[in-house]
Amino acid sequence: MAGLAVAGLVGATVAVTSGDAAERRAVTAVAAEEGLGSATASGPTAPPGATASGAAAPAPDTKTATESKAVSGPVRSRPAKVVAEAAPASVAYLRDRYRISATEAARRLALQELSAPLDARLTEQVPHSYGGMWLDQAAGGVLTIGATDVAAVQAAVADVPDPAHVRVVAVRHTLNQLVEAAAGVAAALDASPSDVVVDHQANEVVVLTGDRITADEPRLAEARRAAGVPTRTQARTPATNVQKACDPRYCPQAPMRGGIRLDVPRDDGTVGGCTTGFNLIVGVRDAYVLTAGHCVVGGRHQQVDRTWHQFLGPKVPVNVEAPNPSLAENAYPYDYAIMPYQPGALPRWAYPRGATSTPSLVNYWCVADNPRCATSGSRDVRITGYVPWSAIQTGWVVCATGSAYTPKSGEQYVDSGAGAGYVPGTRCGEITGKSSGGIDVRICARPGDSGGPLFTEADGKALGILSNGDPGEGACTNENERNSYAPISTILERANARSDGRLRIRLATSGPVAGPVAR
């Protein structure tokens, strides 16, 4: 709703809220159009979860009650039918969300388009009365305009199209006052404009914490008192938010995904790199992570290995080699390590308590040599299950994510041996056969991608984890490069058989969750 409400505002970012003053929840909507006029810009607002706090109101504006600037001419919009024809998906959204007719949806979109030049006009012509605007879809598609002098703003909008759906309401502070106050608070806190923003509907300044401004910033209370307008603080990113996709080399945020970097110290003091594959469940509900067995089993791995994310800093603990020998082998296609979390590490990698959705994910991170990324960006793919090795067919198009990397000069990453010019991320290709006992594919990979997930993009089915393949280093230039993946079904069958079925090892379709799990 918020995106539809204010798309096209001139040079401004506006917060749209719903509910009464006790239930204000800010939603960001960024202006997209340019060249329709000038407007006073305010920074972006933040996600829900604000803690309201009022401040002393400033003295009333000394400007006369009625502003003297003449209206330069009518503000016009395109006919509703024309606007609707250019935005069929928006019409469909409004009809479905608000159960309205196509005609009503078209009217709302035309009013939305009108709001951009109208905002510019009010900012320019009645700056001492205009307090911002928002489009209230829940209230019937009404364009609501805040004003410290209702009569002055009503006069300025008297000639707008669709006047029955334009409402002027009294507010205490003009948009100019709020913008100036936000700039003052930002300056007092040595913050950027994007850290202190204006909520038009709440008629308040919002200080966003959790980035440049910490919640316990000692200067914060005084800066808010000095603002002269109501202010509130809220976390820029609520605790229940989950990042959608991330660079495989540095992705320390929950939830645990397939396709991110694992650094593994070896017995001889060197450090190697591998990649997470998929989330697994062992026993009732114990969270484990799958990667390649050769990452922790072999000549330089005679001790109990611990894995880390960003070993050279900040060295985030991840997994530890399981004491049960049934959970790791290094003999393709039985190339697997089923690893529990290090003590205390699981809360770092689990979904936060209270998350409304906890899918098990693999990271789809765009790279330059992935043609798909020309039209669609990075994201997460939800894992919905797996395909048995027997059912996997030659010719399928599949995708794989890896985290292999050789750092450039000055970068603090463990060199996995990928070679200069290789970029970690997701690439797609074709299954060329299964004669190796695993899954042979035509997808570029490098040392350090081992253990990374092979999956179907459309329906999120797990297929296997990277084990071995053709030699190569640096950028992907061989379009026929072959690599082989150990099948998920083979790994699960083998590990369960070796433990006589006692461990009940299975693929997770939900990610790990912090705290007790409801049963």
Side-chain angles (χ1 to χ4, degrees), residues 367-421:
V367 290
D369 50 40
N370 182 343
R372 177 191 181 276
C373 293
T375 57
S376 182
S378 300
R379 63 191 176 104
D380 284 324
V381 173
R382 180 171 188 160
I383 294 301
T384 60
Y386 68 88
V387 180
W389 180 77
S390 60
I392 295 171
Q393 303 298 322
T394 297
W396 282 10
V397 175
V398 294
C399 299
T401 300
S403 64
Y405 192 60
T406 291
K408 300 174 184 177
S409 177
E411 291 185 330
Q412 295 296 310
Y413 294 108
V414 170
D415 185 355
S416 71

Side-chain angles (χ1 to χ4, degrees), residues 158-456:
D159 60 348
V160 300
D162 198 9
H165 295 93
V166 176
R167 179 179 61 188
V168 180
V169 298
V171 295
R172 295 188 65 187
H173 304 281
T174 67
L175 185 57
N176 275 353
Q177 288 173 330
L178 295 173
V179 170
E180 290 173 4
V185 173
L189 299 175
D190 298 320
S192 73
S194 65
D195 296 317
V196 186
V197 299
V198 173
D199 183 337
H200 287 221
Q201 186 171 2
N203 202 232
E204 291 178 348
V205 167
V206 185
V207 181
L208 303 176
T209 62
D211 189 4
R212 293 179 183 86
I213 304 172
T214 61
D216 58 355
E217 163 62 54
R219 298 171 294 175
L220 182 56
E222 178 56 33
R224 292 179 62 193
R225 280 193 294 269
V229 300
T231 70
R232 70 176 191 268
T233 62
Q234 64 185 42
R236 183 185 293 279
T237 305
T240 55
N241 274 22
V242 173
Q243 188 179 11
K244 297 302 182 185
C246 48
D247 189 324
R249 294 166 295 185
Y250 185 66
C251 183
Q253 297 85 8
M256 170 55 68
R257 299 167 173 80
I260 70 167
R261 184 62 175 268
L262 289 178
D263 293 328
V264 187
R266 305 184 182 104
D267 298 352
D268 59 7
T270 62
V271 181
C274 280
T275 301
T276 58
F278 299 97
N279 290 303
L280 298 181
I281 297 172
V282 176
V284 177
R285 189 66 189 175
D286 291 333
Y288 280 63
V289 176
L290 177 65
T291 191
H294 68 257
C295 297
V296 296
V297 176
R300 288 188 285 180
H301 298 283
Q302 300 302 311
Q303 302 175 22
V304 175
D305 289 308
R306 293 178 182 269
T307 69
W308 308 82
H309 186 61
Q310 277 286 295
F311 184 82
L312 298 180
K315 196 177 180 181
V316 179
V318 191
N319 303 116
V320 61
E321 188 178 355
N324 191 323
S326 301
L327 296 181
E329 287 187 87
N330 180 11
Y332 184 79
Y334 306 125
D335 186 2
Y336 64 92
I338 299 170
M339 304 181 74
Y341 288 86
Q342 291 188 38
L346 179 57
R348 174 66 178 262
W349 295 102
Y351 279 96
R353 187 189 303 271
T356 57
S357 178
T358 59
S360 182
L361 305 171
V362 294
N363 194 23
Y364 195 119
W365 184 254
C366 281
V367 290
D369 50 40
N370 182 343
R372 177 191 181 276
C373 293
T375 57
S376 182
S378 300
R379 63 191 176 104
D380 284 324
V381 173
R382 180 171 188 160
I383 294 301
T384 60
Y386 68 88
V387 180
W389 180 77
S390 60
I392 295 171
Q393 303 298 322
T394 297
W396 282 10
V397 175
V398 294
C399 299
T401 300
S403 64
Y405 192 60
T406 291
K408 300 174 184 177
S409 177
E411 291 185 330
Q412 295 296 310
Y413 294 108
V414 170
D415 185 355
S416 71
Y422 182 77
V423 180
T426 305
R427 295 170 173 85
C428 301
E430 185 177 346
I431 294 178
T432 59
K434 301 192 295 179
S435 60
S436 65
I439 308 166
D440 303 322
V441 302
R442 193 181 293 124
I443 301 176
C444 176
R446 296 288 178 264
D449 290 336
S450 291
L454 183 73
F455 56 95
T456 54

Side-chain angles (χ1 to χ4, degrees), residues 71-99:
V71 175
S72 59
V75 176
R76 302 186 185 281
S77 64
R78 294 184 295 168
K81 181 179 179 181
V82 174
V83 176
E85 287 174 349
S90 298
V91 170
Y93 166 80
L94 286 169
R95 293 192 67 183
D96 181 64
R97 172 80 181 190
Y98 297 104
R99 300 294 188 266

Side-chain angles (χ1 to χ4, degrees), residues 55-74:
D61 198 322
T62 56
K63 188 75 174 176
T64 56
T66 303
E67 305 218 35
S68 59
K69 282 194 176 182
V71 175
S72 59

